[in-house]
Amino acid sequence: KAGVTQTPRYLIKTRGQQVTLSCSPISGHRSVSWYQQTPGQGLQFLFEYFSETQRNKGNFPGRFSGRQFSNSRSEMNVSTLELGDSALYLCASRLGWGNSAKNIQYFGAGTRLSVL
Amino acid sequence: GDSVTQMEGPVTLSEEACLTINCTYTATGYPSLFWYVQYPGEGLQLLLKATKADDKGSNKGFEATYRKETTSFHLEKGSVQVSDSAVYFCALILNTGTASKLTFGTGTRLQVTL
């Protein structure tokens, strides 16, 4: 079974631009979460989607948004990029929403975004 | 809020040495606990998990026991290999119906030399 697939693997953007990252979950998984990883702040939760609805959100500004499609694929968008948005963005999928004791999150390889 | 504290790295060991990476947590509810590993240039891989007190998670020679009385989940391996060199993250998630967020520690880099 294929794992979580994130595209692209690398991105270079300039300040003020916007960017869209894509995540395809493991087949049969219906929930997708996004995390930001930086050397300074570590791994931080952005949001989770299930059944095309955002179920939970972390403490990030409104420039960070996402959506989920009917096939469970998800996209994350960052508008008006800032230098501090440079990070590895990780997507994780799990079978469903809730019941976290059994609903393990499996991660993709990430998209490394560099903002110049 | 919820938090995870890991020992500072890097940890440098010779091959076949014993490994312990300390992890303690604070949680507003009853959590499940995890160890994830990140190899260079890759995402996170689940290494092991424990969902209730006294559970022992194990995988690839690594193990960790959920200790509720000391709020700890230390990672151990009896004999490390060069291929174990990576960054190890301890994490928790609350066992509630609506919990989404994994809370991670800062990660501990392990370097194993010949």
Side-chain angles (χ1 to χ4, degrees):
Chain A
K1 188 184 270 192
V4 178
T5 304
Q6 291 188 246
T7 56
R9 289 294 310 275
Y10 303 93
L11 267 177
I12 300 175
K13 294 286 185 181
T14 57
R15 277 182 299 174
Q17 287 187 308
Q18 73 166 15
V19 67
T20 299
L21 314 181
S22 179
C23 173
S24 293
I26 292 170
S27 177
H29 284 196
R30 298 175 59 202
S31 172
V32 173
S33 296
W34 289 89
Y35 292 81
Q36 182 196 63
Q37 185 179 22
T38 60
Q41 299 298 316
L43 282 150
Q44 295 186 287
F45 172 77
L46 281 153
F47 29 65
E48 180 178 30
Y49 285 85
F50 174 75
S51 291
E52 303 175 62
T53 301
Q54 188 181 91
R55 300 293 175 159
N56 274 306
K57 188 177 188 303
N59 295 326
F60 279 82
R63 299 185 297 108
F64 292 82
S65 63
R67 59 177 176 169
Q68 187 181 35
F69 302 95
S70 58
N71 62 358
S72 296
R73 191 177 70 84
S74 177
E75 288 182 347
M76 190 191 94
N77 184 276
V78 188
S79 63
T80 318
L81 283 166
E82 301 177 359
L83 295 178
D85 297 333
S86 295
L88 180 67
Y89 290 89
L90 293 165
C91 166
S93 77
R94 54 179 180 163
L95 277 171
W97 180 60
N99 193 9
S100 54
K102 296 182 179 180
N103 241 330
I104 306 302
Q105 295 189 28
Y106 295 92
F107 285 80
T111 294
R112 185 163 297 282
L113 172 64
S114 297
V115 182
L116 306 178
Chain B
D2 304 326
S3 67
V4 175
T5 301
Q6 286 181 240
M7 62 187 288
E8 291 287 331
V11 174
T12 302
L13 296 173
S14 299
E15 201 171 46
E16 299 184 1
C18 296
L19 169 71
T20 299
I21 300 178
N22 291 333
C23 170
T24 57
Y25 68 90
T26 58
T28 53
Y30 201 122
S32 289
L33 302 173
F34 306 86
W35 278 99
Y36 283 87
V37 58
Q38 187 174 36
Y39 297 100
E42 298 185 13
L44 300 176
Q45 296 179 25
L46 178 65
L47 183 59
L48 53 84
K49 67 177 175 70
T51 59
K52 60 184 187 297
D54 300 325
D55 269 0
K56 178 185 281 189
S58 61
N59 186 27
K60 300 180 182 180
F62 291 91
E63 58 182 35
T65 301
Y66 188 143
R67 302 286 189 199
K68 189 178 179 187
E69 64 276 14
T70 55
T71 61
S72 65
F73 192 55
H74 305 322
L75 182 68
E76 298 177 326
K77 188 175 186 183
S79 176
V80 295
Q81 306 299 312
V82 171
S83 57
D84 294 328
S85 298
V87 181
Y88 292 80
F89 292 91
C90 184
L92 69 81
I93 192 168
L94 295 182
N95 289 331
T96 67
T98 59
S100 295
K101 182 181 77 168
L102 278 164
T103 298
F104 289 91
T106 53
T108 301
R109 182 176 300 277
L110 170 66
Q111 184 163 356
V112 181
T113 59
L114 290 171

